């Protein structure tokens, strides 16, 4: 059985890692500075994180390029795979980040604006390098809509249908973020996570809502996710990566538990 992955997420705004309660509130005082991205990445690497995700959370909204320097410095100190997203609009952008040390690039708004970017990236670098991140919000009793621009702009796209299309175009992984749950620590959206996991043949990373260890076990089990992504519970010291992994292992979830993982 494939092991489940535990992935800390670093939301980077103006070169610092930040965290807020409501999704997409980078400009109106809704964010709290929680530290230097490289220092935090090294901490999570030492705790035994399976991967690390960097999101430049205002790059798409403001047209800024992503943080090449942060990736270079992190890759020099960490041995876990790195995924970076935010402001990636071309295969040249992808190449720059992969060359800087990223293992995967994550695209969201640009994938919807130019779906051919998914297939172009997969053809040039391999599907294993192309992650499509989906920000989904429940807009009707049985419908989740895709939003872009940091959750500011509805697209009219059904989240499940878009996930399927992204994989057909060459995405090797889906990161599914629930806008409703993000930052609330009230638990992942199990229903949409399960539906997308069942609809696509690639790994699905659940994002948005982690507040307890049980939430993570639930989304890996009932939500059928392949990995859990979290920010607040790690950044503010509620749990370490080791805490999560030991809990999951004790509850029958297969995880990588090397001796070097810190509890």
């Amino acid at each position: 059985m494939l092991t489940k992955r535990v992935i800390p997420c670093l939301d980077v705004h103006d070169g610092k890692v930040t965290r807020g309660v409501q999704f997409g509130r980078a400009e109106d005082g809704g964010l709290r500075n929680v530290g230097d991205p490289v220092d935090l990445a090294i901490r999570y690497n030492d705790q035994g994180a399976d991967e690390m995700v960097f999101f430049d959370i205002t790059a798409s909204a403001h047209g800024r390029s992503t943080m090449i320097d942060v990736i270079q410095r992190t890759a020099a100190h960490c041995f876990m795979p790195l995924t970076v997203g935010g402001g990636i609009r071309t295969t040249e952008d992808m190449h720059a980040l992969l060359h800087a040390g990223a293992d995967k690039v994550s695209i969201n708004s640009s994938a919807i604006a130019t779906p051919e970017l998914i297939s172009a990236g997969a053809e040039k670098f391999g599907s294993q390098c192309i992650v499509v991140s989906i920000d989904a919000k429940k807009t009707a009793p049985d419908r989740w809509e895709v939003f872009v621009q940091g959750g500011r702009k509805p697209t009219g796209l059904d989240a499940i249908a878009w996930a399927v299309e992204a994989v057909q175009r060459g995405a090797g992984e889906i990161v599914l973020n629930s806008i409703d749950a993000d930052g609330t620590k009230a638990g992942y959206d199990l229903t949409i996570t399960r539906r997308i996991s069942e609809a696509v043949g690639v790994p699905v990373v659940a994002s948005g809502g982690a507040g307890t260890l049980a939430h993570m076990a639930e989304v890996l089990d009932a939500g059928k996710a392949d990995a859990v992504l979290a920010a607040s519970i790690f950044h503010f010291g509620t749990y370490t990566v080791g805490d999560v992994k030991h809990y999951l292992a004790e509850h029958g979830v297969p995880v990588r538990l090397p001796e070097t993982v810190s509890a």
Side-chain angles (χ1 to χ4, degrees), residues 50-136:
D50 295 297
E51 296 181 23
M52 174 68 59
V53 171
F54 289 94
F55 280 129
D56 189 342
I57 60 174
T58 50
S60 293
H62 296 281
R64 289 199 315 266
S65 61
T66 46
M67 53 297 183
I68 295 288
D69 178 63
V70 169
I71 299 303
Q72 289 175 329
R73 290 189 291 128
T74 302
H77 292 92
C78 299
F79 300 100
M80 59 189 167
L82 305 176
T83 299
V84 60
I88 300 170
R89 298 175 179 84
T90 66
T91 55
E92 288 75 21
D93 292 338
M94 294 178 180
H95 178 267
L97 291 164
L98 294 169
H99 182 71
D103 298 273
K104 306 174 188 176
V105 291
S106 179
I107 53 178
N108 185 334
S109 301
S110 59
I112 292 172
T114 312
E116 296 79 11
L117 181 61
I118 303 172
S119 50
E123 182 177 346
K124 190 165 186 177
F125 307 111
S127 289
Q128 77 282 355
C129 292
I130 307 302
V131 179
V132 170
S133 180
I134 298 175
D135 296 324

Side-chain angles (χ1 to χ4, degrees), residues 129-205:
C129 292
I130 307 302
V131 179
V132 170
S133 180
I134 298 175
D135 296 324
K137 183 174 184 178
K138 194 170 186 178
T139 55
D142 197 42
R143 175 178 167 81
W144 286 260
E145 185 176 346
V146 180
F147 281 66
V148 293
Q149 300 294 343
R152 300 169 181 82
K153 181 181 178 182
T155 66
L157 292 172
D158 176 79
I160 301 172
W162 172 236
V164 170
E165 180 180 344
V167 172
Q168 290 173 341
R169 288 181 177 273
E173 185 169 86
I174 298 292
V175 173
L176 174 65
N177 184 63
S178 168
I179 293 174
D180 300 307
D182 186 82
T184 65
K185 302 183 184 180
Y188 296 89
D189 187 328
L190 301 180
T191 303
I192 186 58
T193 304
R194 183 183 68 252
R195 291 189 182 182
I196 288 182
S197 295
E198 291 174 340
V200 300
V202 302
V204 173
V205 180

